[in-house]
Amino acid sequence: MTHPVHTPVLAADGALLRFALADLLAGEPGSMRVELTDAAAAEPWLTRLVGAERALAALEAGHVDVPARPEPAALALLLWARRWWPASPALGVPSLDPALLDLEAAVATAAVETVAEGMLDGFEATPAELFDAAAEGVAATAVAGEVRGLCRRLSAWFDDRDDVVRAEAAAAPAAAASPGQREYALAAGAGSAAPAAGVVAGGRASVDWARVPPGILDAAENTVAWRIVTPQTGARLEVEVAGAFADAALTAFATHDGEVFAEVPLHLGAGWFAGAADLAEAAARRAVAAPIGIVVGVTADGGTGTTREDRAEVVSLVRARAALPPEARTLAERAAAASAEEEF
């Protein structure tokens, strides 16, 4: 089964819309697959989205492949970026401002609802909820004119639905604050401590994107460093994860043959997460005598994980977007590029 990192999905009422990541990131949506999960729920909006003939084919077969509509394709890309965008100073992939992504997602969600009303009933977030999440952060940016344009579109959409409060809020975004780029402490590769004495084992590992929340760690490979040290008090496992963008409750799990034998709570530092845990004598002997794995995440079980190859493919596709014309990239990407230009 294709990992979700490769397949942007839009969860509609009674259906899933799937897109090819390579097509979306190349600015050429191509086709989309509509997979019905509840034909009765999907039928009211399906014809408006794909036309009567293709809607009938979907209802008979349970799915249909059709040319991608720009509105759901744009929303699928934004939702994918909110979860999987591989921000990495080390790889030259800029981080995307969450407020701008939420604002763009609000506009894209409203556009989908305009094309096929009812399609997103029960969707993960309404245009109103997305706008509320973005409102405090979109006051002024490096592309403030575009922000105002999106807000005007939302204002008109809210006004049509008699949401007077949000229509007024979207029509006049505050000018006092700027979302800019979050202040990242240090790029990946920074170290927090000098090498310790008594190191008896050590190595490096990579972070599985599926195990950590979005926007927390640099997406580059080999950012995890671990070592076993043996001071006079006993054995200790020390772990550092370079490239921290924001705080989160993360733990490093030491594994042997797939079984966790030690846990190291990680704490945010200046550009990294780090932590240490004492090892029982048996665990220390195991760690020194046999290869161990280090898994960083919120829990030890990350579900379907990403491989090194998965991550490399996504990074390659994302980096290629720098060659696309500005209008083919998201507002959040253009803002990130403008901020980078201002720094040099």
Side-chain angles (χ1 to χ4, degrees), residues 103-306:
L103 178 64
E104 289 184 275
V107 173
T109 304
V112 170
E113 277 293 281
T114 299
V115 169
E117 185 177 357
M119 176 178 163
L120 300 181
D121 285 354
F123 188 55
E124 61 182 76
T126 65
E129 290 168 335
L130 289 164
F131 174 73
D132 290 347
E136 292 186 5
V138 297
T141 73
V143 280
E146 293 182 75
V147 169
R148 287 192 292 271
L150 293 180
C151 286
R152 282 193 293 270
R153 289 171 60 184
L154 275 177
S155 177
W157 193 85
F158 289 137
D159 189 57
D160 286 343
R161 285 151 184 79
D162 296 324
D163 189 340
V164 177
V165 173
R166 287 193 177 88
E168 292 178 351
S178 170
Q181 292 294 298
R182 286 172 293 175
E183 294 299 327
Y184 297 156
L186 290 175
S192 65
V199 175
V200 296
R204 300 196 73 86
S206 297
V207 175
D208 180 349
W209 298 351
R211 293 180 181 271
V212 297
I216 300 298
L217 295 172
D218 191 297
E221 301 293 318
N222 299 319
T223 58
V224 181
W226 63 272
R227 59 190 174 224
I228 306 292
V229 298
T230 54
Q232 294 180 348
T233 55
R236 186 173 70 244
L237 172 61
E238 299 178 346
V239 180
E240 284 184 5
V241 186
F245 298 160
D247 201 2
L250 297 181
T251 300
F253 301 91
T255 66
H256 176 66
D257 288 338
E259 295 185 4
V260 176
F261 68 86
E263 298 183 10
V264 181
L266 301 176
H267 305 284
L268 181 64
W272 61 80
F273 281 87
D278 294 330
L279 296 178
E281 184 177 349
R285 286 199 303 269
R286 177 186 299 180
V288 173
I292 70 170
I294 297 292
V295 175
V296 173
V298 176
T299 66
D301 182 12
T304 304
T306 60

Side-chain angles (χ1 to χ4, degrees), residues 28-79:
E28 301 170 351
S31 65
M32 64 183 184
R33 165 161 284 209
V34 182
E35 298 177 358
L36 300 185
T37 57
D38 184 339
E43 189 172 6
W45 55 262
L46 188 58
T47 299
R48 292 195 292 273
L49 184 71
V50 303
E53 183 177 344
R54 288 175 173 139
L56 181 59
L59 292 170
E60 291 177 348
H63 62 83
V64 66
D65 293 309
V66 298
R69 289 290 299 263
E71 298 87 357
L75 179 56
L77 177 60
L78 289 164
L79 296 178

